């Protein structure tokens, strides 16, 4: 009998070891990992620089509450802000996860503006705490937890027609992902994103960009919003920020500092010494242009190598965040199972999208090996026939 709640559909094996782009289970079976721990281990497993930073910090101090100054928090905050291309007049709040970062962003938006309405988008995903869950535009995520936090409006993604009419004098913020990850790896259109940014500015509404999955180099730039020519009022980070250590961050314009004074928000473990030591090493490594060039090159390799597959209805994504649209949910489950049997780990997104999130450090040869397995599975007649 397990003493764990059954809130995860766990596979019947355990990953016990990882190195680079590969992991092993308890039976010694090796897998090429195209999940990166759901977009977390961006630099691959056991990266020596991150590992050394953790060991060094573990030898001095693991934790200290936010009752005292933290030079390490100041260092990582500076590293994050320095990567913002248009302006560096931002401040950072550290927490432990993406949901917590989004909770902080939603609270800050309401407190700073004195307004309550939050506009979000259908098929979005922002987390599972109450505010973040309510911001998530998926009924399946809400089911059984009502009443939810009031004041949220859900609009169609990439649809400018209904956008302007949704703004009111009480609209505090718009929150969006530049690539909807859990919703099906759906990239935002540049024209639409700029329209959202313009409407926010015109209405005194804050623009929150959820970079939990797209940030820290995943789409080929340090932040995905760099590719859209926008300047968010707030953006949120987690997943890849600690390369496996639990850490999140909310980054907001410095003018918002007065709304988040002492006692307004906090976290016992936010800005933990071990997590921030890892984050500092990650920021240093991801800022290297060679990493970003590799993301762009491997993305092109995957998109070229996986096009024209008979089982795939659509191929989309940015950087190393790629989705393959299959015929239906049953096909998706069977494909993931057969990939796993062929020693490649992949993810689902939405009901019928195969999601690929390989480490940003994956090599050309490893990518080619992954493409070969994917083509082997996805060219089978049984899957191609369902796509007719």
């Amino acid at each position: 009998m397990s003493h764990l709640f059954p809130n995860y559909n766990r596979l019947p094996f355990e990953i016990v070891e990882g190195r680079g782009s590969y992991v092993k289970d308890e039976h010694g079976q090796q897998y090429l990992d195209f999940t990166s721990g759901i977009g977390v281990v961006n630099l691959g497993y056991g990266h020596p620089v991150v590992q050394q930073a953790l060991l060094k910090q573990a030898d001095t101090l693991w934790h200290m509450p936010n009752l005292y100054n933290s030079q390490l928090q100041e260092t990582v905050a500076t590293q994050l802000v320095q990567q913002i291309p248009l302006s560096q007049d931002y401040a950072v709040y550290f927490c432990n996860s993406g949901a917590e970062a989004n909770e902080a962003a939603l609270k800050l938006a309401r407190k700073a503006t004195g307004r309550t309405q939050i506009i979000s988008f259908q098929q979005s995903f922002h987390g599972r705490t109450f505010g973040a869950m309510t911001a998530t535009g998926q009924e399946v995520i809400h089911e059984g937890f009502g009443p939810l936090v009031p004041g949220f409006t859900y609009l169609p993604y990439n649809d400018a027609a209904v956008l302007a009419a949704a703004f009111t004098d009480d609209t505090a913020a718009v929150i969006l992902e530049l690539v909807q990850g859990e919703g099906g790896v759906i990239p935002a259109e540049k024209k639409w994103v700029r329209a959202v940014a313009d409407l926010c500015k015109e209405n005194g509404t804050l623009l929150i960009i959820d970079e939990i999955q797209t940030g820290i180099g995943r789409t080929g730039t340090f932040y995905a919003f760099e590719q859209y020519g926008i300047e968010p009022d707030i953006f949120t980070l987690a997943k890849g920020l600690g390369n496996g250590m639990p850490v999140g961050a909310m980054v907001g314009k410095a003018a918002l500092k007065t709304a988040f004074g002492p006692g307004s928000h906090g976290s016992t473990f936010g800005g933990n010494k071990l997590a921030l030591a890892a984050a500092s090493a990650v920021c240093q490594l991801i800022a290297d242009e060679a990493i970003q060039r590799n993301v762009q090159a491997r993305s092109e390799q995957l998109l070229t190598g996986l096009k024209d597959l008979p089982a795939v209805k659509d191929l989309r994504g940015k950087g190393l965040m790629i989705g393959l649209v299959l015929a239906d949910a049953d096909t998706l489950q069977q494909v993931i199972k057969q990939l796993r049997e062929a020693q490649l780990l992949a993810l689902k997104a939405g009901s019928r999208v195969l999601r690929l999130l390989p480490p940003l450090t994956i090599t050309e040869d490893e990518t080619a090996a992954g493409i070969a397995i994917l083509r082997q599975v996805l060219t089978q007649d049984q899957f191609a026939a369902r796509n007719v």
Side-chain angles (χ1 to χ4, degrees):
M1 172 187 170
S2 173
H3 292 284
L4 299 174
F5 273 104
N7 55 313
Y8 299 107
N9 284 318
R10 299 178 189 269
L11 294 166
F13 62 91
E14 181 178 1
I15 300 298
V16 297
E17 184 182 338
R19 186 66 58 188
S21 301
Y22 289 89
V23 295
K24 285 184 181 179
D25 67 20
E26 75 270 37
H27 305 295
Q29 178 67 65
Q30 180 170 271
Y31 304 87
L32 179 57
D33 186 12
F34 269 34
T35 78
S36 301
I38 315 185
V40 167
V41 191
N42 280 7
L43 293 167
Y45 296 92
H47 194 287
V49 175
V50 180
Q51 185 169 324
Q52 187 56 42
L54 281 167
L55 291 171
K56 182 179 178 181
Q57 186 62 48
D59 198 42
T60 55
L61 186 66
W62 293 17
H63 170 78
M64 189 54 58
N66 288 297
L67 300 174
Y68 314 98
N69 286 337
S70 173
Q71 186 53 54
L72 188 50
Q73 288 189 25
E74 293 285 357
T75 296
V76 180
T78 298
Q79 288 175 296
L80 292 173
V81 169
Q82 284 177 339
Q83 294 299 322
I84 301 171
L86 298 179
S87 168
Q88 295 181 359
D89 193 19
Y90 283 78
V92 180
Y93 163 78
F94 289 110
C95 52
N96 309 287
S97 69
E100 287 182 46
N102 284 334
E103 287 285 342
L106 296 169
K107 286 180 68 175
L108 176 57
R110 282 186 167 178
K111 196 163 189 292
T113 63
R115 303 175 181 182
T116 60
Q117 186 199 29
I118 307 289
I119 293 175
S120 180
F121 296 93
Q122 295 164 8
Q123 295 306 118
S124 61
F125 184 84
H126 300 291
R128 294 181 185 272
T129 51
F130 258 94
M133 176 179 65
T134 306
T136 295
Q138 298 187 48
E139 288 186 11
V140 67
I141 302 295
H142 301 165
E143 189 175 337
F145 295 108
L148 301 178
V149 179
F152 284 76
T153 300
Y154 309 105
L155 300 180
Y157 192 68
N158 276 333
D159 186 342
V162 298
L163 193 59
F167 280 81
T168 73
D169 291 340
D170 193 41
T171 307
V174 174
I175 182 169
L176 64 88
E177 304 156 276
L178 293 171
V179 181
Q180 287 190 329
E182 301 293 332
V185 192
I186 305 168
E189 297 169 0
K190 285 186 180 180
K191 184 178 179 181
W192 177 74
V193 171
R194 289 174 181 169
V196 174
D198 289 344
L199 282 165
C200 284
K201 192 170 185 178
E202 290 169 14
N203 288 275
T205 295
L206 299 179
L207 176 59
I208 304 171
I209 301 296
D210 179 337
E211 290 260 16
I212 306 302
Q213 194 166 150
T214 57
I216 316 299
R218 175 56 58 184
T219 66
T221 50
F222 199 98
Y223 302 124
F225 67 75
E226 296 177 50
Q227 300 171 44
Y228 288 82
I230 59 168
E231 187 177 340
D233 298 292
I234 301 169
F235 63 95
T236 53
L237 303 166
K239 286 193 179 290
L241 181 56
N243 209 60
M245 291 298 291
V247 57
M250 177 195 69
V251 186
K253 288 186 175 178
L256 300 171
K257 278 185 176 182
T258 55
F260 246 34
S264 59
H265 195 57
S267 167
T268 298
F269 294 105
N272 172 271
K273 299 286 186 182
L274 283 174
L276 267 289
S280 182
V282 167
C283 288
Q284 176 189 341
L285 292 161
I286 296 294
D288 186 341
E289 289 185 4
I291 290 276
Q292 296 170 24
R293 286 196 299 270
N294 189 64
V295 172
Q296 294 158 13
R298 302 289 73 77
S299 175
E300 182 61 31
Q301 185 182 358
L302 279 164
L303 291 171
T304 300
L306 297 174
K307 68 181 180 181
D308 301 325
L309 285 167
V312 178
K313 287 182 175 290
D314 190 19
L315 178 64
R316 62 197 183 206
K318 277 185 177 293
L320 288 177
M321 189 174 179
I322 293 172
L324 292 80
V325 183
L326 305 180
D328 50 43
D330 182 59
T331 301
L332 175 60
Q333 293 301 328
Q334 290 186 46
V335 165
I336 289 175
K337 181 176 182 291
Q338 290 198 23
L339 289 172
R340 189 166 64 246
E341 290 170 352
Q343 297 173 244
L344 185 138
L345 301 180
L347 297 161
K348 74 180 192 70
S351 62
R352 61 190 186 115
V353 176
L354 181 70
R355 178 171 35 157
L356 308 178
L357 299 172
L360 311 188
T361 51
I362 193 168
T363 67
E364 183 177 359
D365 288 346
E366 290 168 343
T367 305
I371 290 170
I373 295 171
L374 284 156
R375 293 195 68 87
Q376 172 193 329
V377 170
L378 290 166
T379 51
Q380 293 181 45
D381 291 341
Q382 61 169 317
F383 299 136
R386 297 181 188 185
N387 230 6
V388 176

